[in-house]
Amino acid sequence: MKQMFIGGRWLAAQDGRTIPVVSPADGEAFEQIPRGGAHEVDRAVAAARAALDGPWGRLGATERGRILGRIADAVLAHEDELARIEAQDTGKPTSTARNDIRVLARYFEFYGAAADKVHGQTIPFLPGHQVSLLREPLGVTAHIIPWNYPAQMLGRTVAPALAMGNAAVLKPAEDTSLSALRFAEIATAAGLPEGALNIVTGLGEEAGAALAAHPGIDFVSFTGSNEVGTLVQQAAARHAVKCVLELGGKSPQIVFDDVDAARAVPIIVRAIVQNAGQTCTAGSRLLVQRSIHDRFVSLVAEAFARVRVGTPAMDLDCGPVMNPAQQRRVQRYIDEARAAGIPVLAEGRIEADAPRTGFYVKPTLFGPVPRDAALAREEVFGPVLAALPFDDEADAIRLANGTDYGLLAAVWTENAGRLQRVAKAVRAGQVFMNCYGAGGGVELPFGGTKRSGHGREKGLLALEELSTTKTLVQFHG
Ligand code: NAD
């Protein structure tokens, strides 16, 4: 049985309650985590505040950066173990889990190196005055993350918070808390002072809600569903606390008639099946110019039919989805699209010896999907790709922008002018041109427009989100 990590100590929930940890690959419970709530959140916020007033708060930026660098090295030294934990917890293929651990290390490497490169300014003002702009930590930062990339999400939100000198309280998803708990141990051994990072495990509506509503936090970062994101923002608003929201997506792959198909097809298939489609940045809409629609989509269908699904140890293209609720949700989208008569163009294959008790779904390519169908507008969060034809550039832009979301987009054409025009017209936080970077690129500022959220993570912009400024004005005569 695991314990929570608060103020450098391991703790059970005060009332002793636990949550079973279930393997998505076979549906078996294999571990227990504490079911923390308001009491544990209180303790974690107090521990973070004490860290800011203690040794962690007194460290200079260079020394903080060095600690983050040592954490990156320690994560890499434990890569095998952390990848095993992550694969078992999420069901994802072992090599995907291994990559996630490398990305976790990369976040700490990147933000460790950046910690002492965030500088203030001096500002010309009235004669006889000296003005300086300091960049300071926000204080106690709260981080609520989902289950699709637990280790990567931890790195993405916690590393820049620590680099800027904040003290963090993390609430991992109840389905996937194990890599965060092991990470806390590794980071502490690498020199992270007590209270700088606190981890409260528990249910979203208990521990998560208590954290977002806690009057002692100065910032909240939330990654997850739109429904919960709205609740978190409302809770933060009650204390006028700044909030970064990373929510859903329905990202379009926009394919014009001069596409380099040999390059595009494998990338397009991967962008929807990776992590079993449970990626906010999944390329879940395939928009193809009508003149090449049938030919191009048949190439995608051929590649799609080769997608194989299995356990982490089988290490195939795709694992199971996260839990029975997610399995039902994805299957419902597939069944309803079939029932509505939308043609299935290709299906991947679930390996015969994948356990029947696991949460597997068949990757499915549908097309042509009507523009008003749920599959064309709603986030499935599963390995389901919807192909839709468009007529010309203006129609492509209209269609691409025709959902509530605006997270990622990709444009595929050999026409340089068209690349720029379409990329600028599409409403999204990131646009890839003749490539696709679902989830990749620690260096690249990332975040949503429209209902995909607000605020930016990754890159150096995350350091601005996780800090504030103070303007000092001195009269010197
Ligand atoms: P979710 O919103 O159910 O849960 C996310 C986190 O919020 C979990 O830790 C959960 O315990 C917590 N939570 C649940 N209820 C809460 C409440 N009332 N108050 C506070 N916290 C609460 O989302 P999910 O199902 O775990 O993740 C899937 C969603 O996340 C998808 O919509 C996906 O697009 C989105 N997502 C977005 C990004 C991004 O960067 N934009 C990345 C990954 C996932």
Side-chain angles (χ1 to χ4, degrees), residues 34 46 65-66 87 107 170 175 177 179 185 194 198 201 235 253 303 308 332 365 406 411 413 442 449 452 459:
R66 285 189 184 130
Y107 276 114
L170 175 76
D175 283 316
S177 297
S179 57
E185 210 170 0
E194 70 182 42
N198 307 277
T201 59
Q253 304 272 9
R308 293 166 63 200
R332 178 171 52 78
L365 167 63
V411 191
T413 172
V442 164
T449 61
S452 291

Coordinates of all heavy atoms in Angstrom, one line a residue, residues 34 46 65-66 87 107 170 175 177 179 185 194 198 201 235 253 303 308 332 365 406 411 413 442 449 452 459:
P34 N -3.6 6.1 -1.0 CA -4.5 6.7 0.0 C -5.6 7.6 -0.7 O -5.3 8.2 -1.7 CB -3.6 7.6 0.8 CG -2.2 7.2 0.5 CD -2.3 6.5 -0.9
A46 N 0.0 23.8 3.9 CA 0.8 24.3 5.0 C 2.3 23.9 4.8 O 3.2 24.7 5.1 CB 0.3 23.8 6.3
G65 N 18.2 25.7 -9.8 CA 18.4 25.1 -11.1 C 19.3 23.8 -11.0 O 19.0 22.8 -11.6
R66 N 20.3 23.9 -10.1 CA 21.2 22.7 -10.0 C 20.4 21.5 -9.4 O 20.6 20.4 -9.8 CB 22.3 23.0 -9.1 CG 23.4 23.9 -9.7 CD 24.6 24.0 -8.8 NE 25.5 24.9 -9.5 CZ 26.1 26.0 -8.9 NH1 25.9 26.2 -7.6 NH2 26.9 26.7 -9.5
A87 N 4.0 2.1 -17.2 CA 3.3 1.2 -18.1 C 2.3 0.3 -17.4 O 1.2 0.1 -17.9 CB 4.4 0.2 -18.8
Y107 N 12.0 17.8 -18.9 CA 11.4 19.0 -18.3 C 12.3 19.5 -17.2 O 12.5 20.7 -17.1 CB 10.0 18.7 -17.8 CG 8.9 18.7 -18.8 CD1 8.2 17.6 -19.2 CD2 8.6 20.0 -19.4 CE1 7.2 17.7 -20.1 CE2 7.6 20.0 -20.3 CZ 6.9 18.9 -20.7 OH 5.9 19.0 -21.7
L170 N 0.8 18.8 -5.7 CA 0.3 18.1 -6.9 C -0.8 17.1 -6.5 O -0.6 16.3 -5.5 CB 1.5 17.3 -7.5 CG 1.1 16.4 -8.7 CD1 0.9 17.2 -9.9 CD2 2.2 15.4 -8.9
D175 N -6.5 7.4 -11.0 CA -6.1 6.2 -11.7 C -4.6 6.0 -11.8 O -4.1 4.9 -12.1 CB -6.7 6.2 -13.1 CG -8.2 5.9 -13.1 OD1 -8.6 5.0 -12.4 OD2 -8.9 6.6 -13.8
S177 N -1.4 7.5 -10.0 CA -0.6 8.3 -9.0 C 0.8 7.7 -8.7 O 1.6 8.3 -8.0 CB -1.4 8.4 -7.7 OG -2.6 9.1 -7.9
S179 N 3.6 6.8 -10.5 CA 4.9 7.4 -10.9 C 5.2 8.7 -10.2 O 6.4 9.0 -9.9 CB 4.9 7.6 -12.4 OG 3.9 8.5 -12.9
E185 N 10.1 10.5 -4.2 CA 11.2 9.8 -3.5 C 12.5 10.1 -4.2 O 13.5 10.4 -3.5 CB 10.9 8.3 -3.5 CG 11.3 7.6 -2.3 CD 10.7 6.1 -2.3 OE1 10.0 5.8 -3.3 OE2 11.0 5.4 -1.4
E194 N 12.4 19.5 1.7 CA 11.1 19.0 2.1 C 10.1 20.2 1.9 O 10.4 21.3 2.2 CB 11.1 18.5 3.6 CG 11.3 19.6 4.6 CD 11.3 19.0 6.0 OE1 11.9 17.9 6.2 OE2 10.7 19.6 6.9
N198 N 4.7 18.5 -2.8 CA 3.9 17.7 -1.9 C 2.9 17.0 -2.8 O 2.4 17.6 -3.8 CB 3.1 18.6 -0.9 CG 4.1 19.4 -0.1 OD1 4.7 19.0 0.8 ND2 4.3 20.7 -0.6
T201 N -2.8 12.3 -2.9 CA -3.5 11.4 -3.8 C -5.0 11.4 -3.3 O -5.3 11.6 -2.1 CB -3.0 9.9 -3.7 OG1 -3.0 9.5 -2.4 CG2 -1.6 9.9 -4.3
A235 N -13.6 27.8 -8.7 CA -13.1 27.7 -7.3 C -11.9 28.7 -7.2 O -11.8 29.4 -6.1 CB -12.6 26.3 -7.0
Q253 N -6.1 17.6 -39.0 CA -5.0 17.4 -40.0 C -5.6 17.9 -41.3 O -6.5 17.3 -41.8 CB -4.7 15.9 -40.1 CG -4.3 15.2 -38.8 CD -2.8 15.3 -38.5 OE1 -2.1 16.0 -39.1 NE2 -2.4 14.6 -37.5
A303 N -2.8 1.9 -43.7 CA -1.9 2.0 -42.6 C -2.7 1.7 -41.3 O -2.1 1.1 -40.4 CB -1.2 3.3 -42.6
R308 N -1.9 -2.3 -34.3 CA -2.1 -3.5 -33.4 C -2.2 -3.0 -32.0 O -1.4 -2.1 -31.5 CB -1.0 -4.5 -33.6 CG -1.0 -5.1 -35.0 CD 0.2 -5.9 -35.3 NE 0.4 -7.0 -34.3 CZ 1.6 -7.6 -34.1 NH1 2.7 -7.2 -34.7 NH2 1.7 -8.6 -33.3
R332 N -19.1 3.8 -27.2 CA -20.4 4.4 -27.5 C -20.2 5.3 -28.8 O -21.1 5.3 -29.6 CB -20.8 5.3 -26.3 CG -22.1 6.0 -26.5 CD -22.7 6.6 -25.3 NE -21.7 7.4 -24.5 CZ -21.4 8.7 -24.9 NH1 -22.0 9.3 -25.9 NH2 -20.6 9.4 -24.2
L365 N -11.3 3.9 -38.2 CA -11.3 5.1 -39.1 C -12.7 5.2 -39.7 O -13.1 4.2 -40.4 CB -10.2 4.9 -40.1 CG -10.2 5.8 -41.3 CD1 -10.0 7.3 -40.9 CD2 -9.1 5.4 -42.4
G406 N -9.6 24.5 -29.9 CA -8.5 25.1 -30.6 C -7.2 24.8 -30.0 O -6.5 25.7 -29.4
V411 N -1.1 21.4 -41.1 CA -1.3 21.7 -42.5 C -0.4 20.9 -43.3 O 0.9 21.0 -43.1 CB -1.2 23.2 -42.8 CG1 -1.7 23.6 -44.1 CG2 -1.9 24.1 -41.7
T413 N 0.8 20.5 -47.1 CA 0.9 21.0 -48.5 C 2.3 21.3 -48.9 O 3.1 21.7 -48.0 CB -0.1 22.2 -48.7 OG1 0.1 22.7 -50.1 CG2 0.2 23.3 -47.8
V442 N 9.3 20.0 -25.4 CA 9.4 20.7 -24.1 C 9.6 22.2 -24.3 O 9.1 23.0 -23.5 CB 10.5 20.0 -23.2 CG1 10.9 20.9 -22.1 CG2 10.1 18.6 -22.8
T449 N -6.7 27.7 -27.4 CA -7.6 28.8 -27.6 C -9.0 28.3 -27.5 O -9.2 27.1 -27.3 CB -7.4 29.4 -29.0 OG1 -7.8 28.4 -30.0 CG2 -6.0 29.8 -29.3
S452 N -10.4 25.0 -25.5 CA -9.2 24.2 -25.2 C -8.5 24.8 -24.0 O -7.5 24.1 -23.5 CB -8.3 24.0 -26.4 OG -8.9 23.2 -27.3
G459 N 8.1 25.5 -22.7 CA 9.0 26.6 -23.2 C 9.2 27.6 -22.1 O 8.9 27.4 -20.9

